[in-house]
């Protein structure tokens, strides 16, 4: 199956999926009913044998607990990474104030449901074409290694697959920016490896400091440099403090922030300075 076919199927699925729009019964405010969460996705792929996957197991990146593609699927030949960018409505709503907007909270919680639905759908399409496929985020072997690192980091996988590079905020900067969610598939399908348009993990970050200025918790500091610029021990507790009481018939608890992803030069694209 060609990557272009998978991308077309994913676009069609997102356009038609009811989970990509806020339902009336779940809407925090009535006027949010029907709001679209994600726009058209980005896809990219890498060989399962790419040496960068093994580098994720080094202590300075994730550590020895990080899975290789073949840990998920022994016959793995490729890894497909995808980025689902939030719509303008979601991004614009979160540019003001210290608290996450209602639109952003829906994108964080209902958006995860849509992301997992798409991951399952893509696995089904690959399996129908005669290939094995695993969506690690929904696999029972997926686990946290530390409070802020898992055995399969979607951002790191997207980096290896050529989707983008990290910024000061630890978000991944893609051709459609940082505001959105990542997913990936490990498959036996021989997908062509994409060309990485960068030669280091931070190539697209200009260190402008806009994300630091936006952070209501003060968790990001330009002075600490791009590698250590964000302190997760400050960010994490702040995000956990935003939990709202369960809402709607599905009794969903919502939380989030995302201020470092909006109102910044990398919100919806790669900063122009890095492209010159």
């Amino acid at each position: 199956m060609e990557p272009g076919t998978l991308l077309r199927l994913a676009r069609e699925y997102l356009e038609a999926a009811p989970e990509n729009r806020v339902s009336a019964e779940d809407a925090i405010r009535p006027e949010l009913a029907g709001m679209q969460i994600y726009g058209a996705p980005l896809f990219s792929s890498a060989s399962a044998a790419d040496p960068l996957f093994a580098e994720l197991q080094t202590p300075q990146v994730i550590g020895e607990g990080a899975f290789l593609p073949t840990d998920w699927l022994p016959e793995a030949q490729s890894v497909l990474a995808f980025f689902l960018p939030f719509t303008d409505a979601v991004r614009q709503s979160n540019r003001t104030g210290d608290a996450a907007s209602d639109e952003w909270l829906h994108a964080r919680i209902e958006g995860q449901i849509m992301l997992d639905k798409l991951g399952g759908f893509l696995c089904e399409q690959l399996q129908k074409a005669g290939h094995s496929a695993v969506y690690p985020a929904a696999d029972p072997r997926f686990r946290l290694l530390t409070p802020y690192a898992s055995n399969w980091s979607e951002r790191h996988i997207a980096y290896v697959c050529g989707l983008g590079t990290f910024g000061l905020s630890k978000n991944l900067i893609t051709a459609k920016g940082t505001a959105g969610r990542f997913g990936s598939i490990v498959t036996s399908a021989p997908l062509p490896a994409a060309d990485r348009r960068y030669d280091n993990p931070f190539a697209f970050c200009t260190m402008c400091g806009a994300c630091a200025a936006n952070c209501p918790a003060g968790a990001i500091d330009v002075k600490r440099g791009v590698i250590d610029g964000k302190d997760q021990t400050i960010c994490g507790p702040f995000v956990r403090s935003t939990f709202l009481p369960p809402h709607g018939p599905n009794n969903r608890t919502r939380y989030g922030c995302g201020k470092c992803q909006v109102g910044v030069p990398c919100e919806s694209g790669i900063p122009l300075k890095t492209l010159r």
Side-chain angles (χ1 to χ4, degrees), residues 197-265:
R197 296 188 299 150
Y198 40 80
D199 56 8
N200 74 81
F202 311 103
F204 295 160
C205 182
T206 65
M207 290 291 287
C208 68
C211 58
N214 286 358
C215 180
I220 306 172
D221 188 344
V222 176
K223 295 177 182 177
R224 291 197 292 263
V226 69
I227 296 176
D228 300 314
K230 184 176 182 179
D231 189 335
Q232 296 284 27
T233 65
I234 297 175
C235 174
F238 175 80
V239 172
R240 288 192 290 274
S241 74
T242 68
F243 274 67
L244 299 178
H247 168 81
N250 293 302
N251 213 34
R252 290 178 185 145
T253 300
R254 295 179 175 83
Y255 61 95
C257 177
K259 298 300 181 179
C260 60
Q261 297 179 34
V262 294
V264 293

Side-chain angles (χ1 to χ4, degrees), residues 41-140:
L42 289 177
F43 273 39
S44 193
S45 53
S47 166
D50 193 308
L52 280 187
F53 286 118
E55 289 190 24
L56 301 183
Q57 295 182 321
T58 60
Q60 61 268 35
V61 185
I62 296 175
E64 61 181 11
F67 269 31
L68 298 174
T70 49
D71 291 325
W72 299 107
L73 192 67
E75 66 270 31
Q77 291 197 47
S78 310
V79 177
L80 175 70
F82 49 94
F83 175 65
L84 305 187
F86 291 142
T87 58
D88 288 344
V90 173
R91 291 187 285 104
Q92 291 176 9
S93 72
N94 203 41
R95 289 177 186 159
T96 58
D98 288 341
S101 66
D102 293 340
E103 291 89 337
W104 191 270
L105 295 176
H106 278 301
R108 172 66 184 82
I109 304 305
E110 277 76 13
Q112 182 63 47
I113 294 171
M114 179 68 258
L115 182 69
D116 291 343
K117 289 277 189 181
L118 178 61
F121 170 77
L122 292 172
C123 281
E124 290 175 1
Q125 300 309 305
L126 285 162
Q127 289 160 359
K128 287 179 181 178
H131 307 291
S132 302
V134 174
Y135 175 57
D139 190 284

